[in-house]
Amino acid sequence: MFDFADRVKNLPPYGLARTEPLKEEARRKGLDLIDLTIGSPDLRPPKAVIDALKEALEDPKTSYHRYSPFKGLPEFREAVATWYKRRFDVTLDPEKEILPVVGSKEGLEKIALALLNKGDVALVPSPAYPAYLGAVHLVEGAPYEMPLLPQNDFLPDLDAIPPEIARRARYLLFNYPNNPTGASEASFYEKALAFCAKHDVLCVSDIAYSELALDPGVTGRSIFQLPGAKEIAIEFQSFSKTYSMAGWRVGFVAGRADVIDALMRIKTNCDFSVWPAIQRAAARILTGPQECVEFYREKYRERRDAALAGLERLGWWALRPKAGMYVWIRVPSTYGSSTEFVRDVLMGTGVAMTPGIGFGRYGEGYVRIALVEEKARIEEAFQRVAEWAGVAR
Ligand SMILES: *Cc1c(COP(=O)(O)O)cnc(C)c1O
């Protein structure tokens, strides 16, 4: 009988998949589920991108139906370069410094494949987007979880990384504005670049939420706004959250040319890039008017405010997220674990949240809600929880 590879046998369950059986159980019990677990935007993509996809489908040229070039369509890479220039005043070479990915998740996995030999260290924040850890496990690398703690404003403390770990590290990964904590980067980019230069480590920035600022004065930043960053950094961006296009599977990675080339060489063996019709539509939305994003920001802002009001009434602590689409909530001290807490709330109310442990070791003690239901539904979720917790008026 054949056996599975060690990397599969030892693969921990994906962080966001943990609540699936619980949700199933709640449905079987006939509960009206309010699912705030996965950050899968419920809002429709902008009309412009749907129109652009329809146009690509009707275009008599067959090129939008053939295999994509391995490097992606030139029009896509040029649109990304235009976006970086406009948005961050950053100049990138669309030939050598930009590559489409089948969602950032795909690209993050290829980074691990490109940089880690068995046992090599990747520095990943904890809690974090679960694919960061998953990618390292898949190549049998050694993840080092950098704790994101409230006393450090949920920023990694790079000085606390043991020298032995820094010496074995191949890349440092971070994401601001942050999922799941909602923290912003402050001056972390400068520190991260200095650390990476000192230890000869690739700097990997994920800016999936750079366009979803919720408070005035908050502006997403690109790592490439710092001098010298292109020599040592790459950056991921996605259409999933900015334009509510998670199912389309399209994003891009930009930066250091030899890393982009290595990713492309890996990908030639794995896929044929993103469907060209989607690349064309994505290029259009990226270079078109951005008012559509304000609509999403407004939605997430009102949902966040509804959630924060509900939390205040419950007396549960949460960081006020200045950007993004999540609220990171501290589990009340009467509970032992985030998983137990999530189960009790779900079975008692039908409201599903993700236990913090699903985002890494240092996520324990917290739960995350994703603001992927309308405001009225979020209010209802908190009303039910308030009744369950016995604080309803
Ligand atoms: C949602 C998310 C992404 C986007 O992933 P895609 O694969 O592009 O859909 C990337 N990073 C973080 C931190 C996310 O939360």
Side-chain angles (χ1 to χ4, degrees):
M1 172 58 185
F2 67 82
D3 201 0
F4 289 102
D6 291 344
R7 76 179 69 86
V8 177
K9 286 193 280 189
N10 300 333
L11 193 63
Y14 188 66
L16 291 172
R18 287 168 188 248
T19 45
E20 291 307 308
L22 279 182
K23 286 193 278 185
E24 231 358 87
E25 193 183 328
R27 279 195 203 97
R28 269 200 312 273
K29 280 178 68 181
L31 291 170
D32 169 30
L33 196 67
I34 302 183
D35 189 352
L36 307 179
T37 55
I38 299 185
S40 179
D42 59 311
L43 300 162
R44 251 183 99 69
K47 184 172 181 302
V49 79
I50 292 185
D51 289 346
L53 180 64
K54 283 186 191 158
E55 233 179 74
L57 289 175
E58 300 294 341
D59 196 313
K61 279 195 301 220
T62 56
S63 56
Y64 295 114
H65 303 284
R66 303 186 73 181
Y67 288 127
S68 165
F70 290 116
K71 286 164 66 172
L73 297 186
E75 66 187 272
F76 181 89
R77 285 181 276 110
E78 278 152 23
V80 172
T82 301
W83 181 79
Y84 260 108
K85 184 74 197 164
R86 244 195 230 165
R87 177 69 177 86
F88 298 118
D89 197 21
V90 160
T91 305
L92 290 165
D93 177 355
E95 276 301 309
K96 297 197 169 91
E97 295 174 332
I98 293 168
L99 187 69
V101 287
V102 191
S104 300
K105 193 176 183 185
E106 186 260 336
L108 288 159
E109 178 213 336
K110 299 302 187 312
I111 280 295
L113 212 46
L115 284 154
L116 302 180
N117 287 315
K118 194 171 176 174
D120 283 347
V121 170
L123 303 169
V124 295
S126 177
Y129 182 52
Y132 296 173
L133 269 183
V136 180
H137 287 306
L138 274 176
V139 301
E140 298 176 273
Y144 179 83
E145 295 186 48
M146 305 179 290
L148 303 185
L149 306 170
Q151 58 267 36
N152 297 326
D153 300 322
F154 294 107
L155 299 168
D157 178 4
L158 298 174
D159 296 330
I161 296 170
E164 163 62 12
I165 294 291
R167 201 179 54 73
R168 286 168 52 209
R170 295 290 173 267
Y171 65 91
L172 167 72
L173 187 47
F174 51 88
N175 155 236
Y176 291 100
N178 185 255
N179 170 16
T181 67
S184 299
E185 83 287 339
S187 58
F188 179 72
Y189 281 4
E190 283 80 357
K191 287 183 189 145
L193 271 190
F195 177 93
C196 289
K198 179 174 170 201
H199 296 282
D200 200 18
V201 163
L202 178 70
C203 184
V204 185
S205 161
D206 176 354
I207 57 168
Y209 301 95
S210 67
E211 306 314 293
L212 295 182
L214 304 182
D215 282 348
V218 180
T219 58
R221 276 170 92 201
S222 162
I223 193 77
F224 303 126
Q225 289 171 302
L226 272 62
K230 265 200 301 186
E231 314 305 311
I232 194 160
I234 59 165
E235 189 161 74
F236 283 95
Q237 178 58 291
S238 169
F239 291 75
S240 297
K241 316 298 166 37
T242 311
Y243 304 109
S244 225
M245 290 164 59
W248 294 48
R249 310 311 300 132
V250 56
F252 52 85
V253 55
R256 192 173 146 134
D258 60 350
V259 179
I260 298 296
D261 183 60
L263 292 177
M264 192 202 53
R265 284 191 293 128
I266 293 174
K267 280 168 64 59
T268 56
N269 289 280
C270 302
D271 63 56
F272 265 105
S273 193
V274 176
W275 180 20
I278 286 182
Q279 288 188 53
R280 170 172 157 175
R284 287 280 183 83
I285 194 76
L286 204 57
T287 48
Q290 297 298 298
E291 281 75 35
C292 53
V293 188
E294 182 50 35
F295 170 78
Y296 301 129
R297 282 191 287 262
E298 189 47 45
K299 283 284 183 186
Y300 293 129
R301 201 176 287 136
E302 65 178 34
R303 293 170 180 191
R304 173 200 64 180
D305 293 345
L308 290 176
L311 287 163
E312 193 173 319
R313 188 170 159 208
L314 282 160
W316 294 354
W317 184 88
L319 183 77
R320 174 191 165 85
K322 296 197 195 85
M325 38 185 274
Y326 307 102
V327 186
W328 188 236
I329 303 164
R330 189 180 281 151
V331 171
S333 55
T334 44
Y335 274 88
S337 81
S338 56
T339 310
E340 190 191 327
F341 178 64
V342 161
R343 165 185 283 277
D344 275 15
V345 173
L346 176 56
M347 294 310 160
T349 67
V351 177
M353 310 178 287
T354 301
I357 188 71
F359 301 94
R361 182 187 314 171
Y362 298 99
E364 187 50 276
Y366 291 84
V367 293
R368 187 194 75 175
I369 59 168
L371 304 168
V372 293
E373 289 277 352
E374 286 292 2
K375 178 182 169 215
R377 198 78 174 140
I378 288 178
E379 284 169 346
E380 183 185 336
F382 278 97
Q383 176 61 28
R384 284 192 211 167
V385 174
E387 283 164 19
W388 170 83
V391 301
R393 274 182 285 258

